[in-house]
């Protein structure tokens, strides 16, 4: 994985901070994020859980834990986390889409589509189009076209969310094609880019 050296350095740094400030909830969140980026998913969840124990108010902001739940197949808890997140961030397509993905994996695609929550004002055009695609209102080519018009970041997000969609549809060939492209061709400095790398690693899509 790219940057693995610097991630190990970051992990060491957060270990030291937590050692000196064991009640610092934000430090646990940051270490949990680094653990996730290193594909240490169980360790990331432990960190997010400690953060919540230290400060219960952060629960609706722990979207990172929802992502970690997805990768250890705790889909019901993942869907619940994203629902809670939406109470403080109602216009975020990503929260809604990850809830969809968790429900699709636990209860089936039909149930996920029927319970897709409404999001209208996400400022990112590519994510608006991703939402339309998950709702069944446009094609994969519409998503890719908007992504292309928004440069490397748009390309990354369009490919990632198409890949995730096709994985829950059990179309593994398309899922692998899109997620590997997102990870390999559209490198961005973003937590979700690391997620694409983690996805590849966990699925063995080298």
């Amino acid at each position: 994985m790219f940057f693995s050296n610097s991630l190990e350095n970051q992990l060491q740094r957060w270990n030291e901070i937590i050692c000196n400030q064991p009640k610092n909830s934000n430090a646990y969140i940051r270490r949990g994020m680094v653990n996730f980026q290193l594909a240490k998913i169980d360790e990331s969840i432990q960190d997010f859980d400690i953060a919540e124990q230290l400060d219960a108010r952060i629960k609706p902001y722990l979207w990172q834990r929802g992502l970690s739940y997805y990768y250890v197949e705790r889909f019901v808890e993942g869907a619940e986390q994203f629902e809670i997140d939406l109470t403080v961030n109602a216009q975020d397509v990503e929260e809604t889409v990850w809830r969809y993905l968790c429900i699709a994996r636990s209860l089936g695609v039909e149930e996920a589509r029927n319970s897709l929550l409404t999001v209208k004002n996400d400022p990112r055009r590519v994510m608006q189009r991703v939402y339309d695609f998950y709702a069944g209102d446009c094609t994969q080519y519409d998503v890719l076209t908007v992504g292309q018009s928004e440069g490397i970041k748009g390309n990354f997000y369009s490919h990632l969310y198409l890949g995730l969609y096709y994985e829950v549809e059990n179309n593994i060939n398309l899922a692998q094609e899109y997620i590997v492209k997102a990870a390999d061709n559209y490198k961005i400095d973003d937590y979700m880019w690391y997620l694409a790398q983690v996805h590849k690693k966990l699925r063995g899509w080298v």
Side-chain angles (χ1 to χ4, degrees):
M1 276 170 67
F2 295 111
F3 310 139
S4 58
N5 229 0
S6 73
L7 285 172
E8 291 290 0
N9 292 341
Q10 287 177 51
L11 186 62
Q12 186 57 40
R13 180 168 157 259
W14 288 113
N15 285 340
E16 290 166 8
I17 290 171
I18 286 167
C19 194
N20 293 322
Q21 303 173 37
K23 303 290 188 189
N24 183 337
S25 60
N26 185 57
Y28 284 99
I29 294 172
R30 297 302 296 271
R31 189 174 72 176
M33 292 172 74
V34 176
N35 272 320
F36 178 84
Q37 289 167 284
L38 288 165
K40 297 177 178 179
I41 313 299
D42 288 325
E43 290 91 333
S44 74
I45 293 171
Q46 287 168 16
D47 280 337
F48 300 140
D49 287 349
I50 292 169
E52 186 192 349
Q53 287 162 19
L54 290 169
D55 183 359
R57 294 168 301 175
I58 65 176
K59 186 172 185 176
Y61 301 94
L62 281 174
W63 54 268
Q64 302 96 328
R65 183 168 61 184
L67 299 174
S68 292
Y69 281 151
Y70 185 82
Y71 287 101
V72 293
E73 301 191 0
R74 289 167 65 176
F75 301 121
V76 172
E77 289 160 287
E80 188 181 283
Q81 177 69 59
F82 292 118
E83 270 182 47
I84 294 165
D85 297 349
L86 283 159
T87 63
V88 294
N89 196 6
Q91 303 312 324
D92 191 321
V93 166
E94 289 185 270
E95 307 272 21
T96 309
V97 161
W98 278 101
R99 177 180 174 273
Y100 173 107
L101 293 167
C102 287
I103 292 170
R105 293 292 298 272
S106 58
L107 300 173
V109 170
E110 190 176 346
E111 179 62 31
R113 189 166 291 126
N114 290 340
S115 61
L116 183 65
L117 299 174
T118 303
V119 178
K120 290 180 178 172
N121 298 313
D122 194 308
R124 299 166 295 174
R125 281 180 64 237
V126 67
M127 291 313 301
Q128 288 174 17
R129 192 52 86 203
V130 164
Y131 180 87
D132 292 340
F133 179 72
Y134 276 67
D137 294 334
C138 73
T139 71
Q140 71 202 71
Y141 304 107
D142 297 322
V143 177
L144 291 170
T145 300
V146 172
Q148 207 165 22
S149 75
E150 298 200 332
I152 188 166
K153 200 161 191 173
N155 272 318
F156 170 78
Y157 276 96
S158 61
H159 282 80
L160 173 67
Y161 282 106
L162 285 173
L164 290 164
Y165 175 90
Y166 283 116
E167 187 171 72
V168 300
E169 292 277 336
N170 219 22
N171 188 334
I172 302 306
N173 289 338
L174 269 183
Q176 181 173 351
E177 179 188 333
Y178 282 123
I179 288 174
V180 169
K181 273 187 184 170
D184 292 358
N185 296 0
Y186 304 113
K187 181 181 165 190
I188 56 174
D189 184 18
D190 189 292
Y191 194 69
M192 300 308 291
W193 179 80
Y194 283 99
L195 178 139
Q197 294 291 331
V198 168
H199 197 109
K200 252 179 62 177
K201 183 175 183 176
L202 295 178
R203 302 295 189 257
W205 296 345
V206 182

